[in-house]
Amino acid sequence: MPLSSHLLFSWRNIMLCLLMSLLSACSLHPANDQQSTALPSFNYSLVSAELVNDVPATSSLTYLTLSQRDELAAFVLRDSIKALPDRLKVAEFINYKMMNFNYEGQNYTSTESWENQSGNCMALALLTYSVAKELNVHTVFQVVHAAPILTNITSDILVTSDHVRTFLYDEKPDGHFLSGSVATVIDYFPDRFDRTGAIVSEKQFLAMFYRNLAADAMLEKQYQQAFLLLNKGLTLAPDYEALINMMAITHRRLGDEHTAEKLYRYALAINTNSISVLSNYRLLLELQNRTAEAQNINQHLLAIESSNPYSYYSLGIEALEFKDYKTTVIFLEKFIDSAPYFHPAYYALARAHVGLGQHKKAQDILQQAIALTDMPASKRNYLAKLNMLKDK
């Protein structure tokens, strides 16, 4: 039977990607790199053993209490629900729970988000997974690269976002998840600018929750806590590049640049063209005054063709924050080639051309931004900037 999407509703699954920023763009495989065959050992002497108990157990992430399971059991016995396929029972229950849900930015476990009727989108994703498990529904997760809804640059941390969509199956799909089984697709806050990415395993999906918690800790400068959360996530997904990247960042922040470099090299052995890893490794080389190696990485990064065009947007915004206007132009033009309808990129590109003194070019680009946006506030902002340039 063909794949079918019976319900389509949404939530944002914030997965925080940290790109350490420095003035210019970044990265490539360093010279004389030796690809590691095993994940390098972490430096546990950097963290206090007393913090270990603060890391939630994996089983606690998706646990539902007896009363919650009873509530679910009663819901699926409703006259309007009981005849539905199990996958649709999951979707209907989540839709029911979302009606009064408060979308706070908390990484709650399934139990916590159910009890509090709040949480961020990762909390909702975990809740869906827990309900699916309770009803013996099979899940498949796919990353969706989203237009950045959170771009927060503090110090040298750039935070961006993407989300996960969930495929629900009554029976375990054979072969590729798109190969024929009927599925219900739940895509949380789908957007016309979204780009689909890789399928991730259940273990990697759970590791993403630890990644979120670690990112929260890093933003609070709680690097020892981040270390332990990343360590926990890597027990689930030892080759999950994003966690390895963040573990390298954490080691550097805690003063161990030697282990950080090993981790960057290991991550690049997994994915030579990882923009986030290359960017962070380039920063480490810059901090160590290894200018030639950093420049080598920078040239490689500029040549990469990424499957996620929003990585170019993030790097362009990063460069713009640090007034590296030439690099901003390079990355934003690469992004616009892949996503030509995302008006904030044109506005950022116009700002870069203003920084370069190219006012006529900036005016032309602002005209494109104005034509693309249907948001009154954005249109007013772009028109105001355009009029300012015309007056110069």
Side-chain angles (χ1 to χ4, degrees), residues 299-310:
Q299 292 303 313
H300 178 61
L301 184 60
L302 292 170
I304 289 174
E305 296 300 324
S306 174
S307 61
N308 173 14
Y310 292 112

Side-chain angles (χ1 to χ4, degrees), residues 172-190:
K172 188 173 183 179
D174 295 326
H176 191 274
F177 82 104
L178 289 177
S179 61
S181 300
V182 175
T184 294
V185 183
I186 302 178
D187 192 352
Y188 311 102
F189 302 134

Side-chain angles (χ1 to χ4, degrees), residues 15 204 207-208 211 233-234 237-245 270:
M15 298 185 299
Q204 184 168 323
M208 290 174 180
R211 177 189 182 182
L234 285 164
D239 288 333
Y240 184 20
E241 171 196 313
L243 288 180
I244 299 167
N245 178 44
I270 296 172

Side-chain angles (χ1 to χ4, degrees), residues 286-330:
E286 289 279 4
L287 292 173
Q288 295 177 346
N289 294 317
R290 294 159 65 182
T291 306
E293 292 172 86
Q295 183 58 29
N296 190 34
I297 288 180
N298 188 65
Q299 292 303 313
H300 178 61
L301 184 60
L302 292 170
I304 289 174
E305 296 300 324
S306 174
S307 61
N308 173 14
Y310 292 112
S311 58
Y312 298 133
Y313 178 76
S314 296
L315 286 172
I317 296 301
E318 175 190 13
L320 183 61
E321 283 289 322
F322 293 97
K323 297 181 173 55
D324 184 0
Y325 300 122
K326 290 183 178 179
T327 300
T328 301
V329 170
I330 291 171

Side-chain angles (χ1 to χ4, degrees), residues 320 323-326 329 349-363 389 392:
L320 183 61
K323 297 181 173 55
D324 184 0
Y325 300 122
K326 290 183 178 179
V329 170
L349 182 59
R351 290 174 57 196
H353 281 290
V354 170
L356 292 170
Q358 300 167 348
H359 290 186
K360 180 60 171 65
K361 182 71 172 178
Q363 290 179 45
L389 286 175
K392 290 187 176 181

Side-chain angles (χ1 to χ4, degrees), residues 108-236:
Y108 285 141
T109 65
S110 294
T111 296
E112 292 169 338
S113 60
W114 188 316
E115 289 177 347
N116 297 324
Q117 282 289 285
S118 66
N120 66 11
C121 300
M122 188 63 190
L124 283 171
L126 282 172
L127 182 57
T128 300
Y129 178 59
S130 299
V131 171
K133 286 204 305 178
E134 188 67 19
L135 297 182
N136 296 313
V137 171
H138 299 277
T139 53
V140 172
F141 305 101
Q142 182 181 31
V143 173
V144 177
H145 303 300
I149 61 168
L150 173 61
T151 305
N152 175 28
I153 298 179
T154 59
S155 181
D156 59 353
I157 296 179
L158 173 63
V159 183
T160 61
S161 68
D162 51 21
H163 69 276
V164 167
R165 64 175 177 172
T166 306
F167 293 79
L168 301 173
Y169 297 88
D170 290 315
E171 298 180 0
K172 188 173 183 179
D174 295 326
H176 191 274
F177 82 104
L178 289 177
S179 61
S181 300
V182 175
T184 294
V185 183
I186 302 178
D187 192 352
Y188 311 102
F189 302 134
D191 187 275
R192 65 192 178 113
F193 297 121
D194 288 349
R195 299 290 188 273
T196 56
I199 302 302
V200 297
S201 68
E202 291 184 6
K203 285 187 175 181
Q204 184 168 323
F205 169 69
L206 294 173
M208 290 174 180
F209 187 81
Y210 289 107
R211 177 189 182 182
N212 268 24
L213 294 177
D216 287 345
M218 292 178 74
L219 288 171
E220 295 296 323
K221 302 187 185 302
Q222 298 173 353
Y223 301 119
Q224 293 189 41
Q225 184 69 19
F227 180 111
L228 294 172
L229 290 163
L230 294 166
N231 180 64
K232 186 69 173 180
L234 285 164
T235 64
L236 294 168

